[in-house]
Structure formats: structure tokens, C-alpha cells
Amino acid sequence: MSHQQLEAFIQQAESQLDAVVDNGTDDELFIAGYLHGHFSLVVSQALSSEQASIETLDKLLCANLDSAFAQKELEPEDQQKVLLLWQSLVKNPSS
């Protein structure tokens, strides 16, 4: 994967997360906002990695979320929602 492809994925994921503001419920907005905050933190790390790829971004984000969840930042049900939203972005980047 090229650096440009990763950047395109990042823009697409950000657009999908931003779209929740217009169409989402309060719960969806909370989950998307939480994920977007963590996503923003790891994007620069992924882009500066020698192996810049969606897989690298995925690993970095999952590690970041695991750390946050270990600190009990969210209730288990909300943790699952965040992970499901991220998985949907990674598995279906164009939806």
C-alpha cells in the first residue's frame, strides 16, 4: 500500500466519522467522537511509520484503545461499540 492510499483511507474514515454528526443518534455521536479522538492521535504515527499502511494504523489504534480500555475509560458495552465501529471502517473503507 502506498502512502497515498493510506492518506485516502484516513480521509475517508474521517469523513465517515464526521458524517455521524449530521445523521447519528446521541449514542452514535458519542461513540464516533470517542473513536475519532483516538484515531486522530495515531494517524501521524501511522503516516510516519516505515510501513505506512491500514494494517499499521489498525495495530496502532487497537493498541491505543486497549490501553484506554484497561484504564476503564468506557463501560464494556461502549468499548464494544467503539471496536465495532472501527472494524466497520477498516473492513469496509468505502462504505
Side-chain angles (χ1 to χ4, degrees):
M1 165 174 287
S2 74
H3 200 267
Q4 289 175 326
Q5 288 172 310
L6 177 59
E7 286 180 353
F9 169 78
I10 290 166
Q11 288 177 344
Q12 198 166 9
E14 286 179 338
S15 293
Q16 289 178 259
L17 292 170
D18 290 343
V20 175
V21 173
D22 297 329
N23 322 355
T25 65
D26 288 345
D27 189 49
E28 291 168 336
L29 183 59
F30 172 75
I31 297 302
Y34 183 87
L35 178 58
H36 199 252
H38 285 274
F39 181 78
S40 296
L41 286 173
V42 299
V43 161
S44 62
Q45 294 173 328
L47 288 171
S48 64
S49 169
E50 288 182 23
Q51 296 149 351
S53 66
I54 293 175
E55 292 78 20
T56 299
L57 179 62
D58 183 35
K59 287 177 187 172
L60 289 168
L61 185 65
C62 288
N64 187 283
L65 290 173
D66 286 346
S67 176
F69 296 164
Q71 300 298 315
K72 304 205 186 304
E73 281 194 11
L74 293 178
E75 295 295 321
E77 180 181 326
D78 288 335
Q79 292 175 10
Q80 281 303 112
K81 290 177 184 178
V82 168
L83 291 172
L84 287 172
L85 176 56
W86 174 241
Q87 289 170 3
S88 75
L89 294 173
V90 171
K91 302 271 188 277
N92 305 303
S94 60
S95 59

